[in-house]
Structures are given as C-alpha cells and as structure tokens.
Amino acid sequence: MKKLKDFRHIILYGLILAVLVFALKWLQWKFVLVDNAIDIYIGAIALFFTILGIWVASHIMKPKVETLIVEKEIIVQPPEVFTLNTAELQKLNLNNREYEVLQLLAKGHSNADIAANLFLSVSTIKTHVSNLYFKMDVKSRTQAITKAKQLKIIE
Amino acid sequence: MKKLKDFRHIILYGLILAVLVFALKWLQWKFVLVDNAIDIYIGAIALFFTILGIWVASHIMKPKVETLIVEKEIIVQPPEVFTLNTAELQKLNLNNREYEVLQLLAKGHSNADIAANLFLSVSTIKTHVSNLYFKMDVKSRTQAITKAKQLKIIE
DNA sequence: CTTACCCTCATACTTTAGTACCAAAATTGC
DNA sequence: GCAATTTTGGTACTAAAGTATGAGGGTAAG
C-alpha cells in the first residue's frame, strides 16, 4: 500500500520531468537553439539519479518511526495491606505495656499466657487489662479484640 | 492534507528543476563548456539529483507507526471485600445454631447477651459454645474469634 | 524535691466462661 | 414410624476473667 502510493509519486514526478524535457526540446526547436542531444542525456541522467536517490532513501535510510504509546491498565489487588491507624491509637492513650498486652490478648492468649510471655505475674496482666478496658471503653476481652480490629490499631 | 503536502514537494522539485535547466542553459551559453569538463558536469548533476531524490523521498515517505503497549499497573484498594471461605466453614461441620452463636461471639457478646439475642437460656448457649470450641479445636472464645477471622468464616 | 505517670504485684471478691454429664423436645432422612 | 441429629435446657463444678483497692519502685518534668 505504502509502496504503491510512493510509486505513484515517482511516476508522477517522472511524467512531469518528461513533459518538462519535451517542452524544453520543443522550445529548442521552436526558437532555434543549438541542437544538442546532451540536454536529453542530462535529463535522463537527472531522472535516473533522482529515482536512484529515492530508491536509496526508501531502502537504505532508516525509516521514520512514530511510536504510539498505548497504556494498558492492569488492576492489581494488594494482598491484605495492613495500615496501622496511628491516629486512633493515640486517641486511646495506651502506654507501651498496655498496647503490648492488647496485641497478645487479640491473638487469643489467656492472662496466664500473656504473663508467661512477658515474664510478669497474672496480677500485673489483670491490672493492665483492666486499664485497657477502661481506656478502650469496653467490658471484656472479646469486645477489646473486636474494637481494636475495627479501629485497625492491631493486625 | 498529506496529498497537498506531497504535491507541494513535487511542485517545488519541478520549479527547482526548471530553474536548474535554465541555469544550465545559461552556463552553456555563457562559458562554452569544455568537452573535458562534461564528465565532471554530469557527475555533479548525478550527485545533485541523487541528493535531491533522497531529500524528496525522505519528505514524501510516510512514517512507520509502531504501537508500543505499556502496561500500567493500577492498584485498587478494595473497600473491605469479605469473601466467605465456605470450604473451611464446611470442614468445621458446624450446625446452624453453632454458626449463629459464633457470629455473635465474634462481635464481642457475652453468653448472656447471645442468649437474650436468640431467646435462649444461657445453658443452651454454653452448650453450643462448648461444642463450637471442640469442633474448632480451641479453648476459649478469644481463640475462636481469632481462628474464625483467620479462616475467613466470619466477617 | 515534688508531682505525675508508668510498671509492677498482691489480696479479696464477683462475675463470667468453660467443662462434664444428662435429658427431653424437635427436626430430618430413610 | 424409627434412627440420627439438632436444638434446647438443666445441674454442678472448675477455671478464668474482671473489679476494686492498695502499695512500692522507677523515671521524667517542673
């Protein structure tokens, strides 16, 4: 398709050239110019090398490349991204130990488990847990877990 | 649009050619070219028209269009899509009441709350809860909640 | 130095949770 | 209708959770 159109241009150009040359000849004959076959020869040379130039250009030269960038959208679903809600966490004003206890609590550990885990007595854990409930405004560990997960302050 | 541009080139070329031919004629008449110089003259013509052909070709040639598909990743944060893991739920072999109790349990309700909610006695709830723990292989309601959420059998 | 908060632990008590065992309706499937 | 299962409920007991209160040591800010 492309070549055909290009050829059209070349043929068109050739025809124009030919017409021009013959017009020139006619002018020569008409106005008593010196009869020189060299003109036709030069015309042929010009025609040949023009075509050669076009051929060289279209075959040897790097083709102009227009790059069309098409964006293909791919939807990616992130595998459970946990983002700690620090704002809510600060609101509760929990101290380090309380937060630590909360995390173990939410994992399903009993007070005894948490005590063993943190090398503390069960009494201490109970104190922390009670303070935790007060600060979180809940009345049981199950409520604490539910609320903590809802507020995204624990994983 | 393209045709107009192409024609412009052809016309331009034609004009240049015409000017050149007349210039040539003028040179011939003016300086009476020496026979020996004709080779150089023809060579110059050839070179000129070759370059002209290349120029014409490079201007007429249609650019090759390359389509480059770029994959653009769009991260979509799903607004909490809960998909019930029916497979895991079936494995546990819970009956309707037990599952119902589990859901209320996970909301942070006490046995008394659940009993009131389902119009049942606390004894019944205790029975269901115990069976639930046995089937889920846990020992407390906190563990049941953690496991249930982990298995995605409750919201 | 005092105040305030954090962290620890204890005792005493109440409440809730959880286990074990039993048993009677109700429902389901054959 | 009968067997199996579900659903319901009870009693009695143990274990764990949760509350209330006090108290001692540590640390940081004023």
Side-chain angles (χ1 to χ4, degrees), chain A residues 13 39 64 66 68 72, chain B residues 13 25 64 66 68 70:
Chain A
Y13 163 70
D39 292 340
K64 275 192 209 167
E66 264 182 14
L68 183 66
K72 187 185 178 186
Chain B
Y13 170 69
K25 281 284 101 185
K64 200 164 133 190
E66 270 183 6
L68 186 66
V70 178

Side-chain angles (χ1 to χ4, degrees), chain B residues 2-4 8 14 51 68 80 108 111 131 141 150 154:
Chain B
K2 216 169 282 176
K3 283 193 175 177
L4 195 113
R8 264 217 337 239
I51 290 166
L68 186 66
E80 289 299 324
N111 290 342
N131 295 334
R141 55 212 297 111
Q150 198 175 23
I154 53 162

Side-chain angles (χ1 to χ4, degrees), chain B:
Chain B
M1 302 218 281
K2 216 169 282 176
K3 283 193 175 177
L4 195 113
K5 207 172 181 183
D6 290 350
F7 266 117
R8 264 217 337 239
H9 288 132
I10 290 157
I11 289 159
L12 186 65
Y13 170 69
L15 285 171
I16 288 165
L17 184 71
V19 167
L20 242 148
V21 167
F22 280 107
L24 194 63
K25 281 284 101 185
W26 179 75
L27 278 169
Q28 279 184 330
W29 177 76
K30 188 85 178 181
F31 297 107
V32 192
L33 285 170
V34 192
D35 281 350
N36 289 5
I38 194 79
D39 292 339
I40 294 163
Y41 174 67
I42 287 167
I45 293 287
L47 181 63
F48 177 80
F49 278 93
T50 301
I51 290 166
L52 188 71
I54 288 170
W55 182 81
V56 166
S58 65
H59 278 75
I60 285 173
M61 265 171 61
K62 267 204 253 171
K64 200 164 133 190
V65 175
E66 270 183 6
T67 305
L68 186 66
I69 295 172
V70 178
E71 291 187 346
K72 187 182 180 185
E73 288 192 350
I74 296 176
I75 290 171
V76 177
Q77 191 82 281
E80 289 299 324
V81 185
F82 174 73
T83 44
L84 185 75
N85 192 337
T86 48
E88 288 292 343
L89 188 54
Q90 281 188 354
K91 272 189 203 169
L92 293 179
N93 195 31
L94 306 180
N95 58 46
N96 290 348
R97 273 308 202 198
E98 283 163 358
Y99 185 54
E100 216 167 351
V101 168
L102 175 60
Q103 291 179 61
L104 295 171
L105 202 92
K107 282 187 182 173
H109 291 69
S110 66
N111 290 342
D113 286 342
I114 299 170
N117 202 311
L118 300 178
F119 304 103
L120 297 175
S121 75
V122 179
S123 296
T124 307
I125 303 303
K126 281 190 175 185
T127 307
H128 287 319
V129 169
S130 269
N131 295 334
L132 206 48
Y133 294 169
F134 176 74
K135 289 183 181 178
M136 291 181 75
D137 190 32
V138 295
K139 288 184 188 67
S140 70
R141 55 212 297 111
T142 55
Q143 284 179 16
I145 294 171
T146 304
K147 191 156 190 174
K149 293 206 176 186
Q150 198 175 23
L151 295 178
K152 289 189 173 293
I153 60 175
I154 53 162
E155 265 187 274

Side-chain angles (χ1 to χ4, degrees), chain A residues 35-125:
Chain A
D35 183 47
N36 272 341
I38 193 93
D39 292 340
I40 294 165
Y41 176 65
I42 286 166
I45 292 288
L47 178 64
F48 176 79
F49 278 94
T50 301
I51 291 166
L52 184 72
I54 290 169
W55 183 85
V56 164
S58 62
H59 281 81
I60 290 174
M61 272 175 64
K62 273 191 200 167
K64 275 192 209 167
V65 174
E66 264 182 14
T67 305
L68 183 66
I69 294 172
V70 177
E71 284 189 349
K72 187 185 178 186
E73 296 182 344
I74 294 173
I75 291 170
V76 178
Q77 199 149 329
E80 284 298 321
V81 185
F82 173 74
T83 45
L84 185 75
N85 191 339
T86 47
E88 288 292 343
L89 188 53
Q90 281 186 355
K91 271 188 202 169
L92 293 180
N93 196 30
L94 306 180
N95 59 47
N96 292 346
R97 273 308 202 199
E98 284 162 358
Y99 185 54
E100 216 167 352
V101 169
L102 175 60
Q103 291 178 61
L104 294 172
L105 202 90
K107 283 187 183 173
H109 290 69
S110 66
N111 290 342
D113 286 341
I114 299 170
N117 202 311
L118 300 178
F119 302 104
L120 298 173
S121 75
V122 178
S123 296
T124 307
I125 302 303

